[in-house]
Amino acid sequence: MAVGREEVEIVKPRSDKREYRRVVLENSLEVLLISDPDTDKCAASMDVGVGYFCDPEGLEGLAHFLEHMLFYASERYPVEDGYSKFITEHGGSRNAFTSSRNTNYHFDVNVDSFEEALDRFAQFFIKPLMSPDATMREIKAVHSEYQKNLLLDSRRMNQLQKHISEESHPYHKFSTGNWDTLEIQPRAKGLDIRNELIQFYKEKYSASLMHLVVYSKENLDEILCLVEGKFQEIQNTDKSTSRFPGEPCSSEHLQILVKTVPIKQGHKLRVIWPVTPEIQHYKEGPCQYLGHLIGHQGEGSLFYVLKTLGWATSLFAGEGESYWEFAFFTVQIDLTDAGHEHMQDVIGLLFKYIILLQQSGVCKWIFDELSALCETEFDYQDKIPPIDYVVSVASNMEIYPPEHWIVGSSMPCEFNPGTIQMVLDKLSPDNVRIFWESKSFEVSTDMVEPWYGTAYSMNRISASTIQEWMSYSPDENLHLPGPNVFIPTDFSLKISGEKINLPVLLRKSSYSTLWFKPDTVFSTPKAYIIIDFSCPHASNSSEAEVLADLFTRLLMDYLNEFAYYAQVAGLYYSVHDTNIGFQVTVVGYNHKLRILLEKIIEKIATFKVRPERFAVIKEVVTKDYQNLKFQQPYEHAMYCSSLILRDNTWPWTEQLEVLPSLEGEDLTNFLPLMLSRTSLELYVAGNIERGEAESIVQHIENVLFHGPQPICQPLYPSQHLTNRVVKLGTGLSHFYCTEGLNPSDQNSALVHYIQVHQDDIMMNVKLQLFALIAKQAAFHQLRSVEQLGYITELMQRIDYGIHGLQFLIQSTVKGPGNIDLRVEEFLKMFESKLSQMTNEDFKVAALRQLTQQELLDFFNEYVKVGAARKKTLSIRVYGSLHASEYTTDKNQPAQPSSVQIEDIFSFRRSQPLYGSFKGAYGGVKL
């Protein structure tokens, strides 16, 4: 029974029609019930106030390991992975994560399966089973996760920051765990890791430390009955929330300059100060206020100056890592090569801006504007999937009082200049930690972080040195931002009498096609506009694709100081290249959306290459391409599969080869050619009337096609682009073997793709149903049982209307050739499971007009090993641990039904293509 049902008025968005109720069960479990009659998914999240800060000394990663182990089985549901199977087969998903102070478990599922899913979920917190066999397997899974992250710069730099702190403070800990911390070291100490795990669970997990959010279609009383019946048996040992007093950084960890070597190309500065946590003053928002100003990108801002000098390409400022007892304020700057050479000037300018804030005082009008923007954003926030919502709210429940569980710290509303000044005073040279990342430090480091092997060196840096840098830095016109003219004031809804459920073709001409969908569901003052520019000359060579990429990035660069104010005010935009040209997207409050859109179109029409910005953007693009060799092996395998299957695509290696010779003049000459023949396809949706949508299109046509000197002309019928896919040979298995791009990466990867059919409703249903049934079985066998790798997934794949299945596996345990064999063995094993399914099993995913026999026939025809109509493509990426297997596998004699792909482009040219759905002139692009 619920013993506490305090009537709390929970602050919620103005547009939120859901109902909420806070209750406390007899075992002290605090619960938030959410009723949403319109939802098509139910969800739940349990947030446990135990994280890796609680790891016992010498058992690093134990809390994370428990997160992995908890969902295997329970006394009531003893079948291993039965929970995951049930969730997956009923249209849901599940996951969990471990942070410093919390571990969060969550799932979503179809509405009609929620009660059983919730019961299975609850049992893990009542009587979980953690078998010895599963224990050993899951240690390997944790280690595989660790290996996956070894070469990720974000993980490496985060751990380095923790490493350079007080060893006695929990912030210093290694959170993930690996084979060494969870198997080798405990065994050497005579510890049984499973006993330690169970003991940790019993000692730490208590209902008094748990917060549950349950999101359902039922009314609140019905949800309460459901929760009381399933969660009140969770044991309550009256544990109170752990506190971790003391600062993680003493004087020896402040006033330091750390030079460190990243994996990827590029230079980065992270300037960090310990500050009072925003959580303690969340209504006053000191870090939000300071982050808003230091991270601003309009004229006069720090970033504007650094960008004008050609020293920086991005800047973020705000509270980074945050805990109840301590937090860090971070300014992160991506530097150009020139900025790297002027690091001291960059730091000097940053501190000059901080002094400007000190001298200007805390401005009430800026706080009021920020507060109003936050309130608007909160009131008109988009409805997010239930699973994401419950995780967000559950994570807030330990931190904030019940009335602010939803809003959290997103809406500062109390102006307190003293609190803001207190945090600002912390941003001083006496309190700073500077982390400077660059490949150029490879020969000058003398220390190594132990968990990820990050090389670094550390030197003291005095306040007087920073003062010196400030005095030498350029005299630039740094100033505070002006009032934001993009702040919306008209939130009225444009009521459409039309009940349009699907986009309609509103307008069509030789210049453009307009699709329109007014908002008849969400009732928010927002609109969404996508414009696809189809430009045949943008994608007919590697050089053209690079130039189109440079154009879109320069356009974004030019727009920034004007459009940044729009972004702050909730108007978001992007311009990026596509495989047929480029795309413009504008989304947000409709009141002033057209002003921004027309500015973007004007910039396109009047685009001129600025040599100094071209050089900077070219440098950024070059590094982006160079860093592709550091992508994860599974990402490389996915890339190779797309390159083989998708016609008229170009390899990034060619694009990287083209880049050095390109100059601003090349783009100046290319742009008129690219735009000379253009077709527009627009999608306009939201709080917008059809007349306004037509007016927007007419304006764009007038600017681009009907000016005194038109820059665009319509496409010829022969120029309409199509996206076509290679049609793999029936009954054949195709293989492509390649070595990993990064010799330091031990991971290998496999993409095993089964091409099935071109878009067809019934075939789509059969494929979707098979994937639904097989997905969890594949995960259980290949990851949980065989422990091939942390990244193991079976999914549907769609390439421009061509449907198939795809196994994706990354592993250090086996080479890709062996993994390929394991995939085929799984399919053989699953064949018998599929044929033995009972009617009860099958109704799990039963669909109208689809019988179990039809599903078996589908499997036997398209998926079964050796099926006459089966078409497969295996991409095998060999990591450093399996380098010797690369030569062996590649030189094996081809089997009668197998095709070894030696050269991607020769193979692609030799293959037939599926027909395109775009087809005739003016058709729909897929």
Side-chain angles (χ1 to χ4, degrees):
M1 294 291 291
V3 295
R5 183 175 156 180
E6 180 185 344
E7 293 299 331
V8 176
E9 186 175 350
I10 295 175
V11 178
K12 66 178 188 177
R14 183 182 302 180
S15 57
D16 189 353
K17 298 179 177 65
R18 294 167 290 205
E19 293 185 332
Y20 300 84
R21 182 186 297 169
R22 170 191 177 263
V23 296
V24 181
L25 303 188
E26 288 182 344
N27 59 358
S28 297
L29 174 64
E30 197 167 22
V31 187
L32 180 64
L33 314 175
I34 306 177
S35 173
D36 180 3
D38 298 325
T39 190
D40 60 353
K41 284 282 179 73
C42 295
S45 173
M46 180 73 87
D47 198 78
V48 185
V50 177
Y52 69 81
F53 275 11
C54 296
D55 284 346
E57 192 67 34
L59 288 173
E60 291 87 355
L62 192 64
H64 178 223
F65 180 39
L66 176 57
E67 172 224 305
H68 275 242
M69 284 295 298
L70 199 65
F71 279 0
Y72 258 93
S74 65
E75 286 190 14
R76 180 175 294 179
Y77 300 99
V79 176
E80 193 173 279
D81 264 357
Y83 162 77
S84 299
K85 181 175 184 290
F86 182 87
I87 294 291
T88 302
E89 290 181 350
H90 291 85
S93 60
R94 80 283 178 273
N95 213 331
F97 62 84
T98 305
S99 65
S100 58
R101 304 181 54 121
N102 304 78
T103 306
N104 189 285
Y105 305 87
H106 49 275
F107 76 93
D108 67 355
V109 75
N110 290 339
V111 171
D112 58 1
S113 305
F114 185 52
E115 183 170 356
E116 182 174 340
L118 196 65
D119 192 54
R120 289 173 176 271
F121 182 74
Q123 288 302 310
F124 294 121
F125 305 100
I126 298 169
K127 289 186 177 180
L129 292 179
M130 293 182 262
S131 71
D133 183 48
T135 300
M136 189 53 62
R137 282 190 269 114
E138 211 53 33
I139 291 175
K140 293 177 182 177
V142 169
H143 186 68
S144 179
E145 183 178 358
Y146 165 70
Q147 288 177 308
K148 172 185 74 74
N149 297 330
L150 269 174
L151 300 180
L152 296 181
D153 280 328
S154 57
R155 293 278 186 153
R156 295 165 69 86
M157 298 308 158
N158 179 259
Q159 190 63 45
L160 179 60
Q161 290 167 34
K162 296 199 290 184
H163 178 66
I164 304 175
S165 68
E166 286 291 335
E167 289 188 27
S168 59
H169 197 281
Y171 176 72
H172 185 83
K173 290 183 176 183
F174 167 54
S175 60
T176 306
N178 58 21
W179 184 256
D180 186 54
T181 66
L182 297 173
E183 168 59 19
I184 294 176
Q185 290 185 27
R187 189 175 293 276
K189 297 172 186 175
L191 299 176
D192 182 312
I193 193 64
R194 179 169 174 267
N195 289 343
E196 296 297 320
L197 184 73
I198 293 170
Q199 188 66 23
F200 183 80
Y201 172 80
K202 288 180 177 178
E203 287 183 1
K204 301 294 184 181
Y205 273 44
S206 168
S208 59
L209 294 178
M210 297 179 183
H211 294 87
L212 174 67
V213 180
V214 178
Y215 189 115
S216 177
K217 197 179 185 73
E218 310 301 327
N219 65 49
L220 292 174
D221 289 335
E222 290 170 320
I223 303 172
L224 177 58
C225 288
L226 203 61
V227 168
E228 286 178 329
K230 300 189 184 305
F231 290 91
Q232 60 187 5
E233 291 181 38
I234 297 176
Q235 184 180 12
N236 177 24
T237 58
D238 290 323
K239 293 284 184 184
S240 56
T241 302
S242 298
R243 295 297 180 195
F244 305 96
E247 289 289 335
C249 298
S250 62
S251 58
E252 66 178 290
H253 308 114
L254 302 175
Q255 291 188 291
I256 56 171
L257 173 62
V258 179
K259 296 179 181 178
T260 179
V261 182
I263 298 296
K264 291 187 173 183
Q265 296 287 343
H267 320 287
K268 198 183 297 284
L269 270 177
R270 285 186 173 91
V271 187
I272 302 169
W273 297 267
V275 295
T276 303
E278 178 113 328
I279 295 168
Q280 298 181 16
H281 303 280
Y282 68 93
K283 292 182 184 178
E284 297 145 318
C287 289
Q288 285 194 66
Y289 176 92
L290 295 171
H292 170 68
L293 293 176
I294 299 173
H296 209 278
Q297 298 185 14
E299 186 179 355
S301 67
L302 172 63
F303 178 72
Y304 179 85
V305 167
L306 294 176
K307 176 184 164 183
T308 303
L309 291 167
W311 291 351
T313 58
S314 73
L315 186 150
F316 160 83
E319 190 177 48
E321 295 177 274
S322 177
Y323 311 86
W324 180 260
E325 298 88 356
F326 64 94
F328 296 98
F329 189 93
T330 300
V331 176
Q332 180 174 306
I333 307 171
D334 287 326
L335 302 172
T336 62
D337 291 345
H340 178 65
E341 296 300 319
H342 288 86
M343 184 280 286
Q344 296 177 2
D345 293 319
V346 173
I347 296 293
L349 284 166
L350 168 59
F351 277 98
K352 276 186 175 180
Y353 194 85
I354 291 170
I355 286 177
L356 169 68
L357 296 181
Q358 292 277 13
Q359 293 170 343
S360 303
V362 179
C363 298
K364 187 175 189 303
W365 78 265
I366 293 178
F367 180 88
D368 289 344
E369 183 182 271
L370 179 62
S371 178
L373 287 169
C374 291
E375 183 177 0
T376 300
E377 183 178 3
F378 178 72
D379 276 338
Y380 297 106
Q381 62 184 271
D382 293 331
K383 200 172 180 181
I384 63 175
I387 190 169
D388 298 326
Y389 194 61
V390 294
V391 169
S392 172
V393 177
S395 301
N396 281 347
M397 288 172 71
E398 184 189 347
I399 302 170
Y400 303 101
E403 62 268 26
H404 294 142
W405 280 349
I406 297 172
V407 66
S409 59
S410 66
M411 200 165 65
C413 55
E414 295 180 2
F415 180 61
N416 188 332
T419 301
I420 296 172
Q421 187 65 48
M422 173 187 68
V423 176
L424 178 59
D425 290 342
K426 293 281 188 179
L427 310 187
S428 73
D430 299 323
N431 199 36
V432 75
R433 291 155 56 91
I434 301 174
F435 290 80
W436 186 11
E437 303 168 29
S438 176
K439 287 275 196 183
S440 66
F441 300 140
E442 284 179 320
V443 295
S444 59
T445 58
D446 55 4
M447 288 182 276
V448 175
E449 187 280 317
W451 297 111
Y452 289 86
T454 307
Y456 72 100
S457 63
M458 186 168 69
N459 299 100
R460 306 297 301 176
I461 180 168
S462 65
S464 59
T465 298
I466 291 178
Q467 291 288 346
E468 205 173 301
W469 293 354
M470 290 168 60
S471 65
Y472 292 151
S473 63
D475 288 324
E476 298 291 335
N477 184 26
L478 292 167
H479 59 80
L480 299 181
N484 192 332
V485 298
F486 278 101
I487 294 177
T489 55
D490 181 2
F491 300 105
S492 59
L493 298 180
K494 299 175 181 180
I495 306 300
S496 172
E498 306 171 283
K499 291 300 180 185
I500 301 175
N501 296 321
L502 296 172
V504 295
L505 181 59
L506 192 60
R507 185 177 187 271
K508 187 178 175 68
S509 70
S510 59
Y511 311 106
S512 66
T513 302
L514 169 61
W515 297 92
F516 174 65
K517 171 66 175 74
D519 176 18
T520 57
V521 177
F522 303 106
S523 301
T524 58
K526 294 181 179 180
Y528 191 97
I529 298 177
I530 297 177
I531 309 172
D532 269 315
F533 284 72
S534 180
C535 309
H537 297 295
S539 56
N540 57 12
S541 68
S542 292
E543 182 175 338
E545 284 208 343
V546 172
L547 286 166
D549 187 13
L550 288 165
F551 161 69
T552 58
R553 297 205 202 198
L554 273 169
L555 186 59
M556 288 288 287
D557 183 75
Y558 294 176
L559 285 164
N560 191 61
E561 52 260 32
F562 169 82
Y564 181 75
Y565 281 94
Q567 186 176 315
V568 170
L571 266 179
Y572 304 97
Y573 69 99
S574 73
V575 185
H576 65 88
D577 64 311
T578 67
N579 63 321
I580 60 166
F582 64 98
Q583 185 180 88
V584 173
T585 302
V586 184
V587 59
Y589 304 109
N590 58 276
H591 181 203
K592 299 182 179 180
L593 180 143
R594 187 162 179 173
I595 298 171
L596 176 60
L597 178 61
E598 291 183 359
K599 186 69 173 181
I600 294 171
I601 299 302
E602 176 197 327
K603 286 284 187 182
I604 293 172
T606 60
F607 186 89
K608 303 291 181 193
V609 177
R610 301 180 202 164
E612 76 285 357
R613 294 312 301 163
F614 178 88
V616 169
I617 298 302
K618 177 183 171 182
E619 180 188 316
V620 171
V621 173
T622 300
K623 287 174 182 172
D624 284 349
Y625 281 123
Q626 289 172 337
N627 285 330
L628 286 173
K629 70 181 180 181
F630 299 113
Q631 64 187 331
Q632 295 245 351
Y634 80 88
E635 295 173 315
H636 182 50
M638 289 284 290
Y639 165 78
C640 290
S641 68
S642 295
L643 200 59
I644 288 171
L645 291 170
R646 299 180 179 183
D647 195 35
N648 288 326
T649 52
W650 314 100
W652 65 263
T653 48
E654 286 184 8
Q655 294 164 342
L656 181 59
E657 193 176 324
V658 162
L659 263 166
S661 62
L662 294 179
E663 301 297 339
E665 186 180 351
D666 296 303
L667 182 56
T668 299
N669 295 332
F670 169 76
L671 192 58
L673 174 65
M674 182 182 81
L675 294 173
S676 64
R677 293 288 172 182
T678 300
S679 175
L680 306 180
E681 188 164 16
L682 298 92
Y683 174 61
V684 178
N687 191 41
I688 199 163
E689 295 169 334
R690 63 166 59 211
E692 188 177 358
E694 291 177 309
S695 171
I696 287 170
V697 177
Q698 189 61 59
H699 172 81
I700 295 171
E701 286 186 2
N702 289 342
V703 172
L704 298 178
F705 293 93
H706 304 313
Q709 295 181 310
I711 62 171
C712 300
Q713 295 183 61
L715 296 185
Y716 292 119
S718 62
Q719 288 182 303
H720 283 267
L721 297 170
T722 56
N723 298 316
R724 301 186 67 185
V725 175
V726 165
K727 193 173 190 176
L728 297 174
T730 302
L732 296 177
S733 299
H734 305 78
F735 302 90
Y736 178 69
C737 300
T738 182
E739 292 178 288
L741 298 172
N742 181 3
S744 301
D745 200 328
Q746 298 180 338
N747 291 282
S748 292
L750 171 77
V751 164
H752 182 100
Y753 167 68
I754 303 171
Q755 192 175 71
V756 180
H757 68 284
Q758 192 165 29
D759 199 50
D760 172 87
I761 292 176
M762 276 310 296
M763 286 292 288
N764 293 352
V765 169
K766 292 174 184 177
L767 180 65
Q768 186 175 359
L769 179 56
F770 175 79
L772 181 70
I773 293 171
K775 179 183 176 73
Q776 183 56 33
F779 182 86
H780 175 70
Q781 179 62 33
L782 300 174
R783 183 192 182 276
S784 300
V785 176
E786 298 187 29
Q787 285 293 317
L788 293 181
Y790 181 76
I791 296 174
T792 299
E793 189 169 4
L794 168 62
M795 66 191 87
Q796 292 184 79
R797 173 171 175 156
I798 306 175
D799 296 89
Y800 306 134
I802 309 305
H803 295 245
L805 286 167
Q806 178 172 275
F807 290 85
L808 179 65
I809 301 172
Q810 181 166 295
S811 177
T812 57
V813 177
K814 289 184 182 293
N818 285 317
I819 299 172
D820 221 352
L821 295 175
R822 299 315 308 157
V823 168
E824 296 212 331
E825 285 302 313
F826 164 75
L827 288 173
K828 291 175 184 176
M829 179 193 72
F830 191 71
E831 178 185 351
S832 63
K833 285 191 175 182
L834 196 62
S835 61
Q836 293 166 15
M837 280 178 67
T838 64
N839 289 335
E840 184 68 22
D841 291 331
F842 184 73
K843 80 172 187 182
V844 162
L847 297 166
R848 286 193 301 270
Q849 299 177 336
L850 184 64
T851 66
Q852 186 171 353
Q853 186 58 48
E854 285 177 305
L855 184 63
L856 281 167
D857 292 343
F858 169 83
F859 175 82
N860 290 331
E861 190 170 0
Y862 296 101
V863 182
K864 178 180 176 178
V865 175
R869 297 188 63 180
K870 187 173 183 180
K871 301 180 288 185
T872 65
L873 170 65
S874 291
I875 308 295
R876 301 172 176 179
V877 176
Y878 293 77
S880 59
L881 279 182
H882 308 111
S884 61
E885 296 177 27
Y886 169 70
T887 306
T888 305
D889 290 357
K890 197 167 170 117
N891 294 330
Q892 279 187 345
Q895 299 299 313
S897 60
S898 68
V899 176
Q900 178 92 3
I901 300 173
E902 298 288 346
D903 178 78
I904 288 177
F905 306 103
S906 297
F907 172 78
R908 205 168 70 183
R909 284 191 295 267
S910 70
Q911 300 301 300
L913 303 174
Y914 280 98
S916 169
F917 276 100
K918 187 157 186 179
Y921 165 63
V924 181
K925 175 181 66 64
L926 290 174

